[in-house]
């Protein structure tokens, strides 16, 4: 059972949830689009891009966008991923999703670390994969942060 003050804080947060999620979805879409042409990015996983098998379902089931989670692969392996993650300044290295802050993680070493390599790779979780959960920061700042981290990593 929540205290009255904690219940009040929960209700206040719920009042702005649609606006916050809407902004996060718009930002995730822009970041995914940007990453498709970014140097050293070899693949972007985001159903809202228009070239995924799920794209036809997006308009039907997600008319306001597919969410704030995306992932991308980069040239190289775990060392490249580590340099990119370490090079970001706005993203927090936290395995959560759906936060007000933008988060970055290397799933192969964090969320899927105990999954056997063969099963992990079959699921698309390679050593060169980076996952983002987009928060409420300015999207241009997030793009600039990713660009500078990627450039510095290579």
């Amino acid at each position: 059972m929540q205290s009255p003050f904690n219940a009040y804080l929960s209700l206040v947060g719920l009042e702005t949830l649609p606006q916050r999620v809407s902004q996060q979805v718009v930002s995730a879409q822009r970041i995914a689009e940007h990453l498709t042409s970014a140097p050293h990015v070899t693949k972007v996983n985001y159903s809202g891009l228009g070239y995924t098998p799920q794209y036809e379902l997006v308009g039907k089931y997600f008319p306001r966008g597919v969410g704030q989670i995306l992932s991308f692969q980069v040239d190289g392996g775990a060392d490249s991923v580590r340099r990119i993650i370490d090079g970001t300044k706005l993203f927090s290295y936290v395995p959560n999703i759906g936060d007000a802050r933008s988060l970055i993680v290397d799933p192969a070493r964090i969320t899927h670390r105990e999954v056997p390599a063969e099963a992990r790779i079959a699921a698309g979780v390679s050593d060169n994969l980076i996952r983002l959960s987009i928060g409420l920061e300015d999207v241009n700042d997030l793009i600039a942060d990713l660009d500078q981290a990627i450039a510095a990593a290579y």
Side-chain angles (χ1 to χ4, degrees):
M1 180 172 207
Q2 287 187 339
S3 71
F5 184 68
N6 287 347
Y8 165 75
L9 290 177
S10 294
L11 288 173
V12 168
L14 286 174
E15 290 175 353
T16 60
L17 184 62
Q19 292 80 12
R20 289 182 282 136
V21 171
S22 178
Q23 179 183 336
Q24 290 170 315
V25 169
V26 168
S27 294
Q29 179 77 32
R30 286 222 17 235
I31 290 168
E33 289 169 357
H34 174 77
L35 287 171
T36 61
S37 61
H40 305 289
V41 173
T42 59
K43 182 179 182 183
V44 179
N45 302 307
Y46 190 71
S47 295
L49 288 176
Y51 58 77
T52 64
Q54 305 87 3
Y55 187 70
E56 287 185 24
L57 299 174
V58 168
K60 180 178 180 180
Y61 293 112
F62 302 101
R64 297 184 198 158
V66 295
Q68 71 259 37
I69 311 298
L70 64 123
S71 65
F72 63 101
Q73 294 177 334
V74 295
D75 290 329
D79 290 338
S80 299
V81 167
R82 172 61 41 212
R83 287 191 303 271
I84 292 168
I85 289 173
D86 288 346
T88 60
K89 296 175 180 21
L90 295 179
F91 288 83
S92 297
Y93 185 64
V94 179
N96 298 347
I97 58 173
D99 201 302
R101 298 171 297 152
S102 290
L103 311 174
I104 189 168
V105 72
D106 48 348
R109 267 151 284 318
I110 299 300
T111 57
H112 291 70
R113 70 181 175 275
E114 295 182 21
V115 176
E118 185 176 294
R120 184 174 49 76
I121 298 298
V125 182
S126 59
D127 288 339
N128 64 338
L129 183 72
I130 296 172
R131 187 192 74 202
L132 305 176
S133 176
I134 304 304
L136 297 172
E137 302 89 350
D138 181 86
V139 68
N140 294 317
D141 291 344
L142 293 172
I143 289 171
D145 190 32
L146 288 169
D147 284 350
Q148 67 79 27
I150 292 168
Y154 294 93

